[in-house]
Coordinates of all heavy atoms in Angstrom, one line a residue:
M197 N 0.8 -1.2 0.0 CA 0.0 0.0 0.0 C 0.9 1.2 0.0 O 0.6 2.2 -0.7 CB -0.9 0.0 1.2 CG -2.0 -1.1 1.2 SD -3.2 -1.0 2.5 CE -2.1 -1.0 4.0
E198 N 1.9 1.2 0.9 CA 2.8 2.4 1.0 C 3.4 2.7 -0.4 O 3.5 3.9 -0.8 CB 3.8 2.1 2.0 CG 4.7 3.3 2.4 CD 5.6 3.0 3.5 OE1 5.2 2.5 4.6 OE2 6.9 3.1 3.3
R199 N 3.9 1.7 -1.0 CA 4.6 1.9 -2.3 C 3.7 2.6 -3.3 O 4.1 3.3 -4.2 CB 5.1 0.6 -2.8 CG 5.8 0.7 -4.1 CD 6.4 -0.6 -4.5 NE 5.4 -1.7 -4.4 CZ 5.7 -3.0 -4.7 NH1 6.9 -3.4 -5.0 NH2 4.8 -3.9 -4.5
N200 N 2.4 2.3 -3.2 CA 1.4 2.9 -4.1 C 0.7 4.2 -3.6 O -0.2 4.7 -4.2 CB 0.3 1.8 -4.4 CG 0.9 0.7 -5.3 OD1 1.1 0.9 -6.5 ND2 1.1 -0.4 -4.7
G201 N 1.2 4.7 -2.5 CA 0.7 5.9 -1.9 C -0.6 5.8 -1.2 O -1.3 6.8 -1.0
F202 N -0.9 4.6 -0.6 CA -2.1 4.4 0.1 C -1.8 4.1 1.6 O -0.7 3.6 1.9 CB -3.0 3.3 -0.5 CG -3.5 3.6 -1.8 CD1 -2.9 3.0 -2.9 CD2 -4.5 4.5 -2.0 CE1 -3.4 3.2 -4.2 CE2 -5.0 4.7 -3.3 CZ -4.4 4.1 -4.4
K203 N -2.8 4.4 2.4 CA -2.7 4.1 3.9 C -3.8 3.1 4.2 O -4.7 2.9 3.4 CB -2.9 5.3 4.7 CG -1.8 6.3 4.5 CD -2.0 7.5 5.5 CE -2.0 8.8 4.6 NZ -2.5 9.9 5.3
S204 N -3.8 2.5 5.4 CA -4.8 1.5 5.8 C -6.2 2.1 5.7 O -7.1 1.4 5.4 CB -4.5 1.1 7.2 OG -3.3 0.4 7.3
D205 N -6.3 3.4 6.0 CA -7.6 4.1 6.0 C -8.2 4.1 4.6 O -9.4 4.3 4.5 CB -7.5 5.5 6.6 CG -7.2 5.5 8.1 OD1 -7.5 4.5 8.7 OD2 -6.8 6.5 8.6
D206 N -7.4 4.0 3.6 CA -7.9 4.1 2.2 C -8.5 2.8 1.7 O -9.3 2.8 0.8 CB -6.7 4.4 1.2 CG -6.1 5.8 1.5 OD1 -6.8 6.7 1.9 OD2 -4.8 5.9 1.4
I207 N -8.2 1.7 2.4 CA -8.7 0.4 2.0 C -10.2 0.2 2.5 O -10.5 0.5 3.6 CB -7.9 -0.7 2.7 CG1 -6.4 -0.6 2.3 CG2 -8.4 -2.1 2.3 CD1 -6.1 -0.7 0.8
A208 N -11.0 -0.2 1.5 CA -12.4 -0.4 1.9 C -12.6 -1.9 2.4 O -13.4 -2.1 3.2 CB -13.3 -0.2 0.6
L209 N -11.8 -2.8 1.8 CA -12.0 -4.2 2.2 C -10.7 -5.0 2.0 O -10.0 -4.7 1.0 CB -13.1 -4.9 1.4 CG -13.5 -6.3 1.8 CD1 -14.1 -6.3 3.2 CD2 -14.4 -6.9 0.8
V210 N -10.4 -5.9 2.9 CA -9.2 -6.8 2.7 C -9.8 -8.2 2.7 O -10.6 -8.6 3.5 CB -8.3 -6.7 3.9 CG1 -7.1 -7.7 3.8 CG2 -7.7 -5.3 4.1
V211 N -9.5 -8.9 1.6 CA -9.9 -10.3 1.4 C -8.7 -11.2 1.5 O -7.9 -11.3 0.6 CB -10.6 -10.5 0.1 CG1 -11.1 -11.9 -0.1 CG2 -11.8 -9.5 -0.1
P212 N -8.4 -11.7 2.7 CA -7.3 -12.6 2.9 C -7.6 -14.0 2.7 O -8.7 -14.5 2.8 CB -6.9 -12.3 4.4 CG -8.3 -12.1 5.1 CD -9.1 -11.4 4.0
H213 N -6.5 -14.8 2.5 CA -6.6 -16.2 2.4 C -7.2 -16.7 3.7 O -6.8 -16.2 4.8 CB -5.2 -16.9 2.2 CG -5.2 -18.3 2.1 ND1 -5.6 -19.0 0.9 CD2 -4.9 -19.3 3.0 CE1 -5.5 -20.3 1.1 NE2 -5.1 -20.5 2.3
Q214 N -8.1 -17.6 3.7 CA -8.8 -18.1 4.9 C -8.2 -19.4 5.5 O -9.0 -20.3 5.7 CB -10.3 -18.2 4.6 CG -10.9 -17.0 4.0 CD -11.2 -15.9 5.0 OE1 -11.7 -16.2 6.1 NE2 -10.8 -14.7 4.7
A215 N -6.9 -19.5 5.7 CA -6.3 -20.7 6.2 C -6.5 -20.8 7.7 O -6.6 -21.9 8.3 CB -4.9 -20.8 5.8
N216 N -6.4 -19.7 8.4 CA -6.3 -19.7 9.9 C -6.7 -18.3 10.4 O -6.1 -17.3 10.0 CB -4.9 -20.1 10.2 CG -4.6 -20.1 11.7 OD1 -4.8 -19.2 12.4 ND2 -4.0 -21.3 12.1
L217 N -7.6 -18.3 11.3 CA -8.1 -17.0 11.9 C -7.0 -16.3 12.6 O -6.9 -15.1 12.6 CB -9.3 -17.2 12.8 CG -10.0 -16.0 13.3 CD1 -10.5 -15.1 12.1 CD2 -11.2 -16.3 14.1
R218 N -6.1 -17.0 13.3 CA -5.0 -16.4 14.0 C -4.1 -15.6 13.0 O -3.6 -14.5 13.3 CB -4.2 -17.5 14.8 CG -3.0 -17.0 15.5 CD -2.3 -18.1 16.2 NE -2.0 -19.2 15.3 CZ -1.0 -19.3 14.4 NH1 -0.2 -18.3 14.3 NH2 -0.8 -20.4 13.7
I219 N -3.8 -16.2 11.9 CA -3.0 -15.5 10.9 C -3.7 -14.3 10.3 O -3.1 -13.3 10.1 CB -2.6 -16.5 9.7 CG1 -1.7 -17.6 10.2 CG2 -2.0 -15.8 8.6 CD1 -1.5 -18.8 9.3
I220 N -5.0 -14.4 10.1 CA -5.8 -13.3 9.6 C -5.7 -12.1 10.6 O -5.5 -11.0 10.2 CB -7.3 -13.7 9.3 CG1 -7.3 -14.7 8.2 CG2 -8.1 -12.5 9.1 CD1 -8.7 -15.3 8.0
K221 N -5.9 -12.4 11.9 CA -5.8 -11.4 12.9 C -4.5 -10.8 13.0 O -4.3 -9.6 13.2 CB -6.3 -12.0 14.3 CG -7.7 -12.3 14.4 CD -8.6 -11.1 14.3 CE -10.0 -11.4 14.5 NZ -10.8 -10.2 14.3
A222 N -3.4 -11.6 12.9 CA -2.0 -11.0 12.9 C -1.8 -10.1 11.7 O -1.2 -9.0 11.9 CB -1.0 -12.2 12.9
M223 N -2.3 -10.4 10.5 CA -2.2 -9.6 9.4 C -2.9 -8.3 9.6 O -2.5 -7.2 9.3 CB -2.7 -10.4 8.2 CG -2.9 -9.5 6.9 SD -4.4 -8.6 6.7 CE -5.7 -9.9 7.0
Q224 N -4.1 -8.4 10.2 CA -5.0 -7.3 10.4 C -4.3 -6.3 11.4 O -4.3 -5.1 11.1 CB -6.3 -7.7 11.0 CG -7.2 -6.6 11.4 CD -8.5 -7.1 12.1 OE1 -8.7 -8.3 12.3 NE2 -9.4 -6.2 12.4
E225 N -3.6 -6.8 12.4 CA -2.9 -5.9 13.3 C -1.8 -5.2 12.7 O -1.5 -4.0 12.9 CB -2.4 -6.8 14.5 CG -3.5 -7.2 15.5 CD -2.9 -8.0 16.7 OE1 -1.7 -7.8 17.0 OE2 -3.7 -8.8 17.2
R226 N -1.0 -5.9 11.8 CA 0.1 -5.3 11.1 C -0.3 -4.2 10.2 O 0.4 -3.2 10.0 CB 0.9 -6.4 10.4 CG 1.8 -7.3 11.2 CD 2.5 -8.2 10.4 NE 3.9 -8.3 10.9 CZ 4.8 -8.9 10.3 NH1 4.6 -9.6 9.2 NH2 6.0 -9.0 10.8
L227 N -1.5 -4.5 9.5 CA -1.9 -3.4 8.6 C -2.6 -2.3 9.3 O -2.8 -1.2 8.7 CB -2.9 -4.1 7.6 CG -2.3 -5.0 6.5 CD1 -3.4 -5.6 5.7 CD2 -1.3 -4.3 5.6
G228 N -3.1 -2.5 10.5 CA -3.9 -1.5 11.2 C -5.2 -1.3 10.6 O -5.7 -0.1 10.6
V229 N -5.9 -2.3 10.2 CA -7.2 -2.3 9.6 C -8.3 -2.7 10.6 O -8.1 -3.8 11.2 CB -7.3 -3.1 8.3 CG1 -8.6 -3.1 7.7 CG2 -6.2 -2.6 7.3
E230 N -9.4 -2.0 10.7 CA -10.4 -2.4 11.6 C -11.2 -3.6 11.2 O -11.2 -4.0 10.0 CB -11.4 -1.2 11.8 CG -12.0 -0.7 10.5 CD -12.7 0.6 10.6 OE1 -12.0 1.6 11.0 OE2 -13.9 0.7 10.4
D231 N -11.8 -4.3 12.1 CA -12.6 -5.5 11.9 C -13.5 -5.5 10.7 O -13.6 -6.4 9.9 CB -13.4 -6.0 13.1 CG -12.5 -6.5 14.2 OD1 -11.3 -6.7 14.0 OD2 -13.0 -6.6 15.4
S232 N -14.3 -4.3 10.6 CA -15.3 -4.2 9.6 C -14.7 -4.2 8.2 O -15.5 -4.5 7.2 CB -16.1 -2.9 9.8 OG -15.3 -1.8 9.6
K233 N -13.4 -4.1 8.0 CA -12.8 -4.0 6.7 C -12.2 -5.4 6.3 O -11.5 -5.5 5.3 CB -11.8 -2.9 6.6 CG -12.4 -1.5 6.7 CD -11.3 -0.5 6.5 CE -11.9 0.9 6.5 NZ -10.8 1.9 6.2
I234 N -12.3 -6.4 7.2 CA -11.7 -7.7 6.9 C -12.8 -8.7 6.6 O -13.7 -8.9 7.3 CB -10.9 -8.2 8.1 CG1 -9.8 -7.2 8.6 CG2 -10.2 -9.5 7.8 CD1 -8.7 -6.9 7.6
M235 N -12.7 -9.3 5.4 CA -13.6 -10.4 5.0 C -13.2 -11.7 5.6 O -12.1 -12.2 5.3 CB -13.6 -10.5 3.5 CG -14.6 -11.5 2.9 SD -16.3 -11.0 3.2 CE -17.0 -12.5 3.8
V236 N -14.0 -12.2 6.5 CA -13.7 -13.5 7.2 C -14.8 -14.4 7.0 O -16.0 -14.1 7.3 CB -13.4 -13.3 8.7 CG1 -13.2 -14.6 9.4 CG2 -12.2 -12.4 8.9
N237 N -14.6 -15.6 6.4 CA -15.6 -16.6 6.2 C -15.1 -18.0 6.6 O -15.8 -19.0 6.3 CB -16.2 -16.5 4.8 CG -15.2 -16.8 3.7 OD1 -14.1 -17.3 4.0 ND2 -15.5 -16.6 2.5
I238 N -13.9 -18.0 7.1 CA -13.4 -19.3 7.5 C -14.3 -20.1 8.5 O -14.4 -21.3 8.5 CB -11.9 -19.2 8.1 CG1 -11.3 -20.6 8.2 CG2 -11.9 -18.5 9.4 CD1 -9.8 -20.5 8.5
D239 N -15.1 -19.3 9.3 CA -16.0 -19.9 10.2 C -17.1 -20.6 9.5 O -17.7 -21.5 10.1 CB -16.5 -18.8 11.2 CG -17.2 -17.7 10.5 OD1 -16.7 -17.3 9.4 OD2 -18.1 -17.1 11.0
R240 N -17.4 -20.2 8.3 CA -18.5 -20.9 7.5 C -18.0 -22.0 6.6 O -18.8 -23.0 6.4 CB -19.2 -19.8 6.7 CG -20.0 -18.9 7.5 CD -20.7 -17.8 6.6 NE -19.7 -16.7 6.5 CZ -19.9 -15.7 5.8 NH1 -21.0 -15.6 5.0 NH2 -19.0 -14.7 5.8
Y241 N -16.8 -21.9 6.1 CA -16.4 -22.8 5.1 C -15.1 -23.6 5.5 O -14.8 -24.6 4.8 CB -16.1 -22.1 3.8 CG -17.2 -21.2 3.2 CD1 -17.0 -19.9 3.1 CD2 -18.4 -21.8 2.9 CE1 -18.1 -19.1 2.6 CE2 -19.4 -21.0 2.4 CZ -19.2 -19.6 2.3 OH -20.3 -18.9 1.8
G242 N -14.4 -23.1 6.4 CA -13.1 -23.7 6.8 C -12.0 -23.2 5.7 O -12.3 -22.3 5.0
N243 N -10.9 -23.9 5.7 CA -9.8 -23.6 4.7 C -10.2 -24.2 3.4 O -10.1 -25.4 3.2 CB -8.5 -24.1 5.2 CG -7.4 -23.7 4.3 OD1 -7.6 -23.1 3.2 ND2 -6.2 -24.1 4.7
T244 N -10.6 -23.3 2.5 CA -11.0 -23.8 1.2 C -9.9 -23.7 0.1 O -10.2 -23.8 -1.1 CB -12.2 -23.0 0.7 OG1 -11.9 -21.6 0.7 CG2 -13.5 -23.3 1.5
T245 N -8.7 -23.6 0.6 CA -7.5 -23.6 -0.3 C -7.6 -22.6 -1.5 O -7.8 -21.4 -1.3 CB -7.0 -25.0 -0.7 OG1 -8.0 -25.6 -1.5 CG2 -6.7 -25.8 0.5
A246 N -7.6 -23.1 -2.7 CA -7.6 -22.3 -3.9 C -8.9 -21.5 -4.0 O -8.9 -20.5 -4.7 CB -7.3 -23.1 -5.1
A247 N -10.0 -21.9 -3.4 CA -11.2 -21.2 -3.6 C -11.4 -20.1 -2.5 O -12.4 -19.4 -2.6 CB -12.4 -22.2 -3.4
T248 N -10.5 -19.9 -1.7 CA -10.6 -18.9 -0.6 C -10.9 -17.5 -1.1 O -11.8 -16.9 -0.6 CB -9.3 -18.9 0.2 OG1 -9.2 -20.1 1.0 CG2 -9.2 -17.7 1.1
I249 N -10.1 -17.0 -2.0 CA -10.3 -15.6 -2.5 C -11.6 -15.5 -3.3 O -12.4 -14.6 -3.0 CB -9.1 -15.2 -3.3 CG1 -7.8 -15.2 -2.5 CG2 -9.3 -13.8 -3.9 CD1 -7.8 -14.3 -1.2
P250 N -11.9 -16.4 -4.3 CA -13.2 -16.2 -5.0 C -14.4 -16.3 -4.0 O -15.3 -15.5 -4.2 CB -13.2 -17.4 -6.0 CG -11.7 -17.7 -6.2 CD -11.1 -17.4 -4.9
L251 N -14.4 -17.2 -3.1 CA -15.5 -17.3 -2.1 C -15.6 -16.0 -1.3 O -16.7 -15.5 -1.0 CB -15.3 -18.5 -1.2 CG -15.7 -19.8 -1.8 CD1 -15.3 -20.9 -0.8 CD2 -17.2 -19.9 -2.1
G252 N -14.4 -15.5 -0.9 CA -14.4 -14.2 -0.1 C -15.0 -13.1 -0.9 O -15.8 -12.3 -0.3
L253 N -14.6 -12.9 -2.1 CA -15.1 -11.9 -2.9 C -16.6 -12.0 -3.2 O -17.4 -11.1 -3.2 CB -14.4 -11.8 -4.3 CG -12.9 -11.3 -4.2 CD1 -12.2 -11.5 -5.5 CD2 -12.9 -9.8 -3.8
R254 N -17.0 -13.3 -3.4 CA -18.5 -13.5 -3.6 C -19.3 -13.1 -2.4 O -20.3 -12.5 -2.5 CB -18.7 -15.0 -4.0 CG -20.2 -15.3 -4.3 CD -20.7 -16.6 -4.0 NE -20.4 -17.0 -2.6 CZ -20.5 -18.2 -2.1 NH1 -20.9 -19.2 -2.9 NH2 -20.3 -18.4 -0.8
D255 N -18.8 -13.6 -1.2 CA -19.5 -13.2 0.0 C -19.5 -11.7 0.2 O -20.5 -11.1 0.7 CB -18.8 -13.9 1.2 CG -19.1 -15.4 1.2 OD1 -19.9 -15.9 0.4 OD2 -18.6 -16.1 2.1
A256 N -18.4 -11.0 -0.1 CA -18.3 -9.6 0.1 C -19.3 -8.9 -0.8 O -20.0 -7.9 -0.3 CB -16.9 -9.1 -0.2
V257 N -19.5 -9.3 -2.0 CA -20.5 -8.8 -2.9 C -21.9 -9.0 -2.4 O -22.8 -8.2 -2.3 CB -20.3 -9.3 -4.4 CG1 -21.5 -8.9 -5.3 CG2 -19.0 -8.8 -5.0
A258 N -22.1 -10.3 -2.0 CA -23.5 -10.7 -1.5 C -23.9 -9.9 -0.3 O -25.0 -9.5 0.0 CB -23.5 -12.2 -1.2
E259 N -22.9 -9.6 0.6 CA -23.1 -8.9 1.8 C -23.0 -7.3 1.6 O -23.1 -6.6 2.6 CB -22.1 -9.3 2.9 CG -22.2 -10.7 3.3 CD -21.1 -11.2 4.1 OE1 -20.3 -10.4 4.6 OE2 -21.0 -12.5 4.3
R260 N -22.8 -6.9 0.4 CA -22.7 -5.5 0.0 C -21.6 -4.8 0.8 O -21.8 -3.6 1.2 CB -24.1 -4.8 0.2 CG -25.2 -5.4 -0.7 CD -26.4 -4.6 -0.6 NE -27.6 -5.2 -1.2 CZ -27.9 -5.3 -2.4 NH1 -27.1 -4.7 -3.3 NH2 -28.9 -5.9 -2.9
R261 N -20.5 -5.5 0.9 CA -19.4 -4.9 1.7 C -18.4 -4.2 0.7 O -17.4 -3.6 1.2 CB -18.7 -6.0 2.5 CG -19.5 -6.5 3.6 CD -18.9 -7.5 4.4 NE -17.7 -7.0 5.1 CZ -16.9 -7.7 5.8 NH1 -17.0 -9.0 5.9 NH2 -15.8 -7.1 6.4
V262 N -18.6 -4.3 -0.6 CA -17.8 -3.7 -1.6 C -18.6 -3.0 -2.6 O -19.7 -3.5 -3.0 CB -16.8 -4.7 -2.2 CG1 -17.5 -5.8 -2.9 CG2 -15.7 -4.0 -3.0
K263 N -18.2 -1.8 -3.1 CA -19.0 -1.1 -4.1 C -18.0 -0.5 -5.1 O -16.8 -0.4 -4.9 CB -19.8 0.0 -3.5 CG -19.1 1.1 -2.8 CD -20.0 2.1 -2.1 CE -19.4 3.2 -1.4 NZ -18.2 3.0 -0.7
K264 N -18.5 -0.1 -6.2 CA -17.7 0.5 -7.3 C -16.8 1.6 -6.8 O -17.3 2.5 -6.1 CB -18.6 1.0 -8.4 CG -17.9 1.5 -9.6 CD -18.8 1.9 -10.7 CE -18.0 2.2 -12.0 NZ -18.9 2.5 -13.1
G265 N -15.6 1.5 -7.2 CA -14.6 2.5 -6.8 C -13.8 2.2 -5.5 O -12.8 2.9 -5.2
D266 N -14.3 1.2 -4.8 CA -13.6 0.8 -3.5 C -12.2 0.3 -3.8 O -12.0 -0.4 -4.8 CB -14.4 -0.2 -2.7 CG -15.5 0.3 -2.0 OD1 -15.6 1.6 -1.8 OD2 -16.3 -0.5 -1.4
L267 N -11.3 0.5 -2.9 CA -9.9 0.0 -2.9 C -10.0 -1.3 -2.1 O -10.3 -1.3 -1.0 CB -8.9 1.0 -2.3 CG -7.5 0.7 -2.6 CD1 -7.2 0.7 -4.1 CD2 -6.6 1.8 -1.9
V268 N -9.6 -2.4 -2.8 CA -9.7 -3.8 -2.2 C -8.3 -4.4 -2.2 O -7.6 -4.3 -3.2 CB -10.7 -4.7 -3.0 CG1 -10.7 -6.1 -2.4 CG2 -12.1 -4.1 -3.0
L269 N -7.9 -4.9 -1.1 CA -6.6 -5.6 -0.9 C -6.9 -7.1 -0.8 O -7.6 -7.5 0.1 CB -5.9 -5.1 0.3 CG -4.5 -5.7 0.6 CD1 -3.5 -5.4 -0.5 CD2 -4.0 -5.1 1.9
I270 N -6.3 -7.9 -1.7 CA -6.4 -9.3 -1.7 C -5.0 -9.9 -1.3 O -4.0 -9.6 -1.9 CB -6.9 -9.8 -3.0 CG1 -8.3 -9.3 -3.4 CG2 -6.9 -11.4 -3.1 CD1 -8.7 -9.6 -4.8
L271 N -5.0 -10.8 -0.3 CA -3.8 -11.4 0.1 C -3.9 -12.9 0.2 O -5.0 -13.4 0.7 CB -3.4 -10.9 1.5 CG -3.3 -9.3 1.7 CD1 -3.3 -8.9 3.1 CD2 -2.1 -8.9 0.9
T272 N -2.9 -13.6 -0.2 CA -3.0 -15.1 -0.2 C -1.7 -15.7 0.2 O -0.6 -15.1 0.1 CB -3.5 -15.6 -1.5 OG1 -3.8 -17.0 -1.4 CG2 -2.5 -15.4 -2.6
V273 N -1.8 -17.0 0.6 CA -0.6 -17.8 1.0 C -0.8 -19.1 0.3 O -1.9 -19.7 0.3 CB -0.6 -18.0 2.5 CG1 0.6 -18.9 2.9 CG2 -0.5 -16.7 3.3
G274 N 0.3 -19.6 -0.2 CA 0.2 -20.9 -1.0 C 1.2 -21.9 -0.4 O 1.8 -21.7 0.6
A275 N 1.4 -23.0 -1.2 CA 2.2 -24.1 -0.8 C 3.7 -23.6 -0.6 O 4.1 -22.8 -1.4 CB 2.1 -25.2 -1.8
G276 N 4.4 -24.1 0.3 CA 5.8 -23.7 0.5 C 5.9 -22.3 1.1 O 6.9 -21.7 1.0
Y277 N 4.8 -21.8 1.6 CA 4.7 -20.5 2.2 C 5.0 -19.4 1.1 O 5.6 -18.4 1.4 CB 5.5 -20.3 3.4 CG 5.0 -19.1 4.2 CD1 3.8 -19.1 4.9 CD2 5.8 -17.9 4.3 CE1 3.3 -18.1 5.6 CE2 5.3 -16.8 5.0 CZ 4.1 -16.9 5.6 OH 3.6 -15.8 6.3
T278 N 4.5 -19.6 -0.1 CA 4.6 -18.5 -1.1 C 3.5 -17.6 -0.8 O 2.4 -18.0 -0.2 CB 4.4 -19.1 -2.5 OG1 3.2 -19.8 -2.6 CG2 5.6 -20.0 -2.9
T279 N 3.7 -16.3 -1.1 CA 2.6 -15.3 -0.7 C 2.4 -14.5 -2.0 O 3.2 -14.4 -2.9 CB 3.1 -14.4 0.4 OG1 4.3 -13.7 0.1 CG2 3.3 -15.2 1.7
G280 N 1.2 -13.8 -2.0 CA 0.9 -12.9 -3.0 C -0.1 -11.9 -2.6 O -0.9 -12.2 -1.6
G281 N -0.2 -10.8 -3.2 CA -1.2 -9.8 -2.9 C -1.4 -8.9 -4.1 O -0.6 -8.8 -5.0
I282 N -2.6 -8.3 -4.1 CA -3.0 -7.4 -5.2 C -3.8 -6.3 -4.6 O -4.7 -6.5 -3.7 CB -3.7 -8.1 -6.3 CG1 -3.9 -7.1 -7.5 CG2 -5.0 -8.7 -5.9 CD1 -4.3 -7.8 -8.8
L283 N -3.6 -5.1 -5.0 CA -4.4 -3.9 -4.6 C -5.1 -3.5 -5.8 O -4.5 -3.2 -6.8 CB -3.4 -2.8 -4.1 CG -4.0 -1.6 -3.4 CD1 -4.9 -1.9 -2.2 CD2 -2.9 -0.6 -3.1
L284 N -6.5 -3.4 -5.7 CA -7.3 -3.1 -6.9 C -8.4 -2.2 -6.6 O -8.9 -2.1 -5.4 CB -7.7 -4.4 -7.6 CG -8.6 -5.3 -6.8 CD1 -10.1 -5.0 -6.9 CD2 -8.4 -6.8 -7.2
R285 N -8.9 -1.5 -7.6 CA -10.2 -0.7 -7.5 C -11.3 -1.6 -8.0 O -11.2 -2.2 -9.1 CB -10.1 0.5 -8.4 CG -9.3 1.6 -7.9 CD -10.1 2.6 -7.1 NE -9.2 3.5 -6.6 CZ -9.2 4.0 -5.4 NH1 -10.2 3.7 -4.6 NH2 -8.3 4.9 -5.0
W286 N -12.3 -1.7 -7.2 CA -13.5 -2.6 -7.5 C -14.2 -1.9 -8.7 O -14.6 -0.7 -8.6 CB -14.4 -2.8 -6.3 CG -15.3 -3.9 -6.5 CD1 -16.7 -3.7 -6.7 CD2 -15.1 -5.2 -6.6 NE1 -17.3 -4.9 -6.9 CE2 -16.3 -5.9 -6.8 CE3 -13.9 -6.0 -6.5 CZ2 -16.4 -7.3 -6.9 CZ3 -14.0 -7.4 -6.6 CH2 -15.3 -8.0 -6.8
A287 N -14.6 -2.6 -9.7 CA -15.1 -2.0 -10.9 C -16.7 -2.2 -11.1 O -17.2 -1.7 -12.0 CB -14.4 -2.5 -12.2
Y288 N -17.3 -3.0 -10.2 CA -18.7 -3.2 -10.4 C -19.6 -2.1 -9.9 O -19.4 -1.5 -8.9 CB -19.1 -4.5 -9.6 CG -18.9 -5.7 -10.4 CD1 -17.7 -6.5 -10.1 CD2 -19.7 -6.2 -11.3 CE1 -17.5 -7.7 -10.8 CE2 -19.5 -7.3 -12.0 CZ -18.4 -8.1 -11.8 OH -18.1 -9.2 -12.5

Protein backbone atom coordinates (compact mmCIF):
# COMPACT_ATOMS: atom_id res chain seq x y z
CA MET A 1 0.00 0.00 0.00
CA GLU A 2 2.75 2.40 0.97
CA ARG A 3 4.58 1.91 -2.32
CA ASN A 4 1.38 2.90 -4.14
CA GLY A 5 0.72 5.93 -1.94
CA PHE A 6 -2.11 4.44 0.13
CA LYS A 7 -2.70 4.07 3.86
CA SER A 8 -4.79 1.54 5.79
CA ASP A 9 -7.63 4.06 6.00
CA ASP A 10 -7.87 4.11 2.19
CA ILE A 11 -8.72 0.41 2.04
CA ALA A 12 -12.43 -0.43 1.87
CA LEU A 13 -11.97 -4.20 2.20
CA VAL A 14 -9.23 -6.78 2.75
CA VAL A 15 -9.92 -10.28 1.42
CA PRO A 16 -7.26 -12.56 2.94
CA HIS A 17 -6.59 -16.25 2.41
CA GLN A 18 -8.78 -18.08 4.92
CA ALA A 19 -6.33 -20.70 6.21
CA ASN A 20 -6.30 -19.72 9.86
CA LEU A 21 -8.10 -17.02 11.89
CA ARG A 22 -4.99 -16.39 13.99
CA ILE A 23 -3.00 -15.55 10.85
CA ILE A 24 -5.79 -13.28 9.60
CA LYS A 25 -5.84 -11.41 12.93
CA ALA A 26 -2.03 -11.02 12.91
CA MET A 27 -2.17 -9.60 9.37
CA GLN A 28 -4.97 -7.26 10.43
CA GLU A 29 -2.92 -5.93 13.35
CA ARG A 30 0.13 -5.35 11.14
CA LEU A 31 -1.94 -3.46 8.58
CA GLY A 32 -3.85 -1.51 11.22
CA VAL A 33 -7.21 -2.26 9.60
CA GLU A 34 -10.43 -2.37 11.62
CA ASP A 35 -12.56 -5.53 11.88
CA SER A 36 -15.29 -4.22 9.57
CA LYS A 37 -12.81 -4.04 6.69
CA ILE A 38 -11.68 -7.68 6.92
CA MET A 39 -13.60 -10.35 4.99
CA VAL A 40 -13.67 -13.46 7.18
CA ASN A 41 -15.62 -16.57 6.19
CA ILE A 42 -13.38 -19.35 7.53
CA ASP A 43 -16.00 -19.89 10.24
CA ARG A 44 -18.52 -20.86 7.53
CA TYR A 45 -16.36 -22.82 5.08
CA GLY A 46 -13.08 -23.74 6.75
CA ASN A 47 -9.85 -23.55 4.74
CA THR A 48 -11.03 -23.80 1.15
CA THR A 49 -7.46 -23.57 -0.27
CA ALA A 50 -7.59 -22.26 -3.86
CA ALA A 51 -11.25 -21.21 -3.55
CA THR A 52 -10.59 -18.91 -0.60
CA ILE A 53 -10.31 -15.63 -2.52
CA PRO A 54 -13.18 -16.22 -4.98
CA LEU A 55 -15.47 -17.26 -2.11
CA GLY A 56 -14.41 -14.23 -0.07
CA LEU A 57 -15.12 -11.87 -2.95
CA ARG A 58 -18.47 -13.54 -3.65
CA ASP A 59 -19.48 -13.21 0.00
CA ALA A 60 -18.32 -9.57 0.10
CA VAL A 61 -20.50 -8.76 -2.92
CA ALA A 62 -23.48 -10.67 -1.51
CA GLU A 63 -23.11 -8.85 1.82
CA ARG A 64 -22.73 -5.49 0.02
CA ARG A 65 -19.36 -4.88 1.66
CA VAL A 66 -17.76 -3.65 -1.56
CA LYS A 67 -18.96 -1.09 -4.09
CA LYS A 68 -17.74 0.47 -7.32
CA GLY A 69 -14.57 2.48 -6.82
CA ASP A 70 -13.59 0.82 -3.51
CA LEU A 71 -9.94 -0.02 -2.93
CA VAL A 72 -9.68 -3.76 -2.21
CA LEU A 73 -6.61 -5.59 -0.94
CA ILE A 74 -6.40 -9.33 -1.68
CA LEU A 75 -3.76 -11.40 0.14
CA THR A 76 -3.01 -15.08 -0.18
CA VAL A 77 -0.62 -17.79 1.00
CA GLY A 78 0.23 -20.91 -0.97
CA ALA A 79 2.23 -24.12 -0.76
CA GLY A 80 5.75 -23.73 0.55
CA TYR A 81 4.66 -20.48 2.15
CA THR A 82 4.59 -18.54 -1.08
CA THR A 83 2.64 -15.33 -0.75
CA GLY A 84 0.90 -12.90 -3.04
CA GLY A 85 -1.17 -9.79 -2.89
CA ILE A 86 -2.97 -7.37 -5.16
CA LEU A 87 -4.39 -3.92 -4.56
CA LEU A 88 -7.26 -3.10 -6.91
CA ARG A 89 -10.16 -0.74 -7.53
CA TRP A 90 -13.48 -2.55 -7.55
CA ALA A 91 -15.15 -1.98 -10.93
CA TYR A 92 -18.72 -3.23 -10.37
